Amino acid sequence: MSGPYTLLHEDEAMVMYLANGAFRPHRDNDDIVWVTAFWSYKDVEDGLSHMAVRSQINCADGTTLTTTMVGFGPDGSFLGRYEPGDEWRTIYPDSPSAEAQAIGCDGASPRGRALPGTPVDIANSFRR
């Protein structure tokens, strides 16, 4: 996925970061923007290191729909696709998705810390 990458959220279990170069307008709906974020887990369990999460953001009504989740191992090996469901969810102002919405819908600059390297490098740098 297209970097540079921006830190969106960090807690005890995971780090979420945004692929700034992965915003794309929806070809059939001007209100929708595609975005990709990564969820990097601080502990590798069952070989899962990080996931690329592809979502749509509906700029008109402030909702998001996760469309694809792809899992990777610590070395970047493909582990599989996961079905995320089909429910549009409200984007809350203090959520990590709110920053993605501001960037993708309003053209805001990323507020989080820039993260160097590839998604594999970033995931491994946050490992415990």
Side-chain angles (χ1 to χ4, degrees):
M1 291 294 133
S2 255
Y5 302 95
T6 299
L7 181 66
L8 290 177
H9 174 79
E10 181 178 5
D11 61 29
E12 289 299 313
M14 68 188 301
V15 175
M16 292 176 63
Y17 46 102
L18 184 65
N20 297 353
F23 285 98
R24 299 286 180 265
H26 194 282
R27 66 183 174 141
D28 297 324
N29 188 332
D30 291 340
D31 290 331
I32 294 179
V33 174
W34 288 92
V35 63
T36 302
F38 289 87
W39 301 354
S40 294
Y41 301 100
K42 292 190 176 180
D43 291 321
V44 175
E45 293 186 23
D46 298 324
L48 181 64
S49 164
H50 57 286
M51 295 188 78
V53 180
R54 184 87 162 144
S55 301
Q56 294 179 7
I57 296 174
N58 187 321
C59 299
D61 68 8
T63 58
T64 186
L65 171 70
T66 300
T67 59
T68 310
M69 298 173 76
V70 179
F72 299 94
D75 62 354
S77 59
F78 174 79
L79 296 180
R81 290 186 181 278
Y82 304 87
E83 294 301 321
D86 59 357
E87 181 181 341
W88 285 87
R89 294 189 169 95
T90 300
I91 297 173
Y92 294 101
D94 59 345
S95 72
S97 295
E99 183 169 0
Q101 179 186 21
I103 295 166
C105 296
D106 304 327
S109 295
R111 294 186 312 255
R113 174 171 51 115
L115 301 173
T118 68
V120 173
D121 297 333
I122 295 167
N124 290 334
S125 73
F126 283 98
R127 194 88 56 236
R128 292 179 205 230

